[in-house]
Amino acid sequence: MIFTEIPEIRYEGAKSSNPFAFKFYDADKSVLGKPMSEHLPFAMAWWHNLGAAGTDMFGKDTADKSFGAGSDPLAHAKAKADAGFEFMQKLGIKYFCFHDADLISEAPTLKEQNANLDKIADYIRSKIDKTGIKALWGTANLFSHPRFMNGAGSSNSPDVFARAAANVKKSIDLTVKFGGKGFVFWGGREGYETLWNTDMKFEQENIAALMRLAVEYARAIGFKGDFYIEPKPKEPMKHQYDFDAATAIGFLRQYGLDKDFKLNIEANHATLAGHTFRHELKVSAINGMLGSIDANTGDALLGWDTDEFPYSVYDATECMYEVLKAGGLTGGFNFDAKNRRPSNTYEDMFHAFILGMDTFALGLLKAAALIEDGRVDAFVAERYSSYCSGIGAKIREGKTTLAELAEYAESQGEPTPPSSGKQEYLESVVNQILFG
Ligand code: XUL
Ligand code: CO
């Protein structure tokens, strides 16, 4: 046991003042005919929760994430796994997400690295067998090591491309071994700093080639899950190719990858791209590509990826509204989030997840209430209802011509002004459901 002072976290209800209890996340509570736990498949991000210890550009670690192990890489990797599984069990979390590089520190050669990964993977697999906790998705870290300074798929070096392919292959193997539902590509270094040295088309073709090779390999070994692109506009690169959902969808379609890939939408990446989280979810959903979510939040006053635990019930409600409307996720809700640097105790790790899980539970309850209330849906249906008959229906059904429309326009005179958008009314309905 690592978190000896921390009890199992249970639901105690909104009136509880126990800091180690859920106030809103009640796993078995039925919402729209399904238990909360099925609506909200939460996942722990291995890298943040078990790895990030507070180092930033200006200072070193503030937290101790050695979990009692010394400097031996395998002993530390096992201690992380012990901590992670105990943590997830105490919170009732069924999934984790990981990079290859999160599992054990990198060895000097690829061969040694893969052998080390096999050792820790066997250890993790035995914990999966004991607990039923599995991977939500895996990914390859193709951005931290200096070899990837010019990108991975987009690198100007075919040797680096080949190394990226080897890391992706191993990470797919690990994902399959851990029962993962998905495999993510986050193109941290897949972008450019200046177009004076960059062949954009060449780089994008190569990224697509790496993705295609990954799909071919994974399908050949029986992986049935989804691949995901995780869009992000910038950071670490000035401009990343998977800028936002619309850009990523265009890319996937252009290179014929859209049948195997969906999107993993991260809230903080959405706002960095100048969109709301909800916008990115909507764009993904209407294109049939809403796969999974990295649940976190940025800070409106800070222009970078702060990866904070989500606390805005308003944002979570908007998110869950889109998720419910899309019929749920094939993936889940990965807390790609880290404690603030001064929140450096084991207790803080639990507070962070209680906050995130309660925020999304509230979001789910409020989104379900909005749908059951029906006023927003009814308003939107009514707003477009003139397309149900007459010339509107002909436009929708593609049964008219430009000439017919011109004739119609001439005969009708000045169009009746469109009806009010009633934004303020709708926003007050949302507030009433949230706080009434
Ligand atoms: C970085 C980010 C990554 C991906 C996985 O901004 O979100 O942690 O989720 O590589
Ligand atoms: Co992420």
Side-chain angles (χ1 to χ4, degrees):
M1 288 263 283
I2 287 163
F3 307 107
T4 43
E5 309 294 304
I6 316 277
E8 244 179 60
I9 312 299
R10 298 181 196 282
Y11 171 72
E12 288 188 4
K15 300 268 185 294
S16 168
S17 57
N18 176 359
F20 295 105
F22 294 120
K23 317 300 180 297
F24 304 101
Y25 180 66
D26 182 3
D28 298 328
K29 183 186 170 78
S30 179
V31 180
L32 300 177
K34 224 165 70 168
M36 255 194 188
S37 57
E38 282 179 34
H39 282 287
L40 297 169
F42 291 124
M44 178 196 76
W46 208 271
W47 56 102
H48 282 317
N49 204 44
L50 307 175
T55 291
D56 70 10
M57 307 272 261
F58 301 95
K60 51 189 183 178
D61 286 352
T62 54
D64 178 7
K65 296 254 169 118
S66 66
F67 302 115
S71 56
D72 173 64
L74 186 60
H76 182 219
K78 284 184 172 173
K80 277 168 78 176
D82 292 342
F85 277 85
E86 184 189 333
F87 185 85
M88 290 185 279
Q89 277 188 300
K90 284 196 160 151
L91 283 151
I93 290 179
K94 305 264 182 350
Y95 299 98
F96 61 89
C97 297
F98 70 99
H99 303 80
D100 48 354
D102 305 331
L103 302 182
I104 190 157
S105 56
E106 185 155 337
T109 67
L110 179 59
K111 225 174 166 176
E112 288 167 87
Q113 171 67 7
N114 284 344
N116 285 352
L117 280 170
D118 286 339
K119 280 185 215 149
I120 187 64
D122 284 344
Y123 190 71
I124 291 173
R125 181 66 229 191
S126 72
K127 291 191 162 278
I128 289 173
D129 292 336
K130 268 184 225 132
T131 61
I133 294 170
K134 295 185 192 152
L136 181 68
W137 51 255
T139 186
N141 178 329
L142 305 177
F143 44 89
S144 293
H145 194 279
R147 73 174 74 89
F148 296 121
M149 72 176 187
N150 290 348
S154 66
S155 177
N156 56 315
S157 157
D159 291 352
V160 172
F161 186 104
R163 178 57 188 260
N167 291 6
V168 166
K169 175 176 177 287
K170 188 70 188 172
S171 301
I172 291 173
D173 290 342
L174 294 169
T175 303
V176 170
K177 181 164 183 147
F178 297 161
K181 290 202 213 184
F183 188 83
V184 162
F185 279 88
W186 170 61
R189 306 264 177 208
E190 313 287 39
Y192 65 85
E193 294 296 327
T194 173
L195 285 174
W196 291 118
N197 69 11
T198 301
D199 186 336
M200 187 191 276
K201 186 165 182 285
F202 185 96
E203 292 197 355
Q204 294 200 1
E205 285 168 0
N206 278 4
I207 295 167
L210 181 61
M211 289 179 176
R212 189 168 307 110
L213 293 168
V215 170
E216 282 168 12
Y217 174 74
R219 297 301 180 223
I221 63 163
F223 175 67
K224 301 237 164 8
D226 287 321
F227 285 83
Y228 305 117
I229 281 186
E230 183 178 323
K232 186 176 183 183
K234 58 189 170 189
E235 199 205 348
M237 298 301 269
K238 180 172 92 171
H239 187 108
Q240 282 165 211
Y241 293 133
D242 306 329
F243 189 95
D244 60 2
T247 311
I249 291 167
F251 170 87
L252 290 171
R253 290 194 178 138
Q254 182 178 355
Y255 293 105
L257 294 161
D258 49 310
K259 301 284 172 292
D260 292 286
F261 274 79
K262 290 190 167 75
L263 300 183
N264 180 42
I265 296 297
E266 176 163 325
N268 204 161
H269 297 181
T271 48
L272 282 176
H275 301 305
T276 60
F277 182 25
R278 183 181 187 181
H279 171 92
E280 290 292 83
L281 296 167
K282 180 69 104 186
V283 170
S284 310
I286 64 172
N287 285 285
M289 287 203 192
L290 178 55
S292 205
I293 285 177
D294 270 11
N296 64 10
T297 185
D299 184 308
L301 299 182
L302 302 175
W304 62 90
D305 197 11
T306 59
D307 284 341
E308 292 173 45
F309 275 85
Y311 61 87
S312 162
V313 176
Y314 204 102
D315 287 349
T317 302
E318 290 191 348
C319 167
M320 292 313 300
Y321 188 81
E322 296 307 331
V323 169
L324 289 174
K325 289 279 177 191
L329 299 175
T330 48
F333 297 81
N334 167 42
F335 288 113
D336 190 357
K338 57 187 180 221
N339 282 103
R340 295 306 83 195
R341 192 164 183 264
S343 302
N344 59 352
T345 67
Y346 285 166
E347 291 190 355
D348 290 309
M349 292 167 65
F350 283 85
H351 292 323
F353 273 73
I354 292 169
L355 169 69
M357 291 165 78
D358 269 345
T359 299
F360 271 83
L362 270 167
L364 169 66
L365 291 169
K366 297 300 174 185
L370 272 165
I371 289 169
E372 278 173 337
D373 175 84
R375 277 176 289 174
V376 173
D377 280 345
F379 178 83
V380 175
E382 171 60 25
R383 188 158 185 249
Y384 297 93
S385 61
S386 54
Y387 275 93
C388 293
S389 58
I391 195 71
K394 280 181 120 180
I395 293 171
R396 291 293 292 165
E397 289 158 14
K399 289 186 178 152
T400 186
T401 62
L402 207 62
E404 187 192 9
L405 289 168
E407 217 173 277
Y408 175 87
E410 213 174 290
S411 69
Q412 68 153 350
E414 184 54 31
T416 330
S419 58
S420 160
K422 291 206 188 303
Q423 181 172 335
E424 298 77 5
Y425 159 70
L426 294 165
E427 287 168 347
S428 73
V429 168
V430 172
N431 276 353
Q432 185 191 5
I433 300 285
L434 256 71
F435 305 106

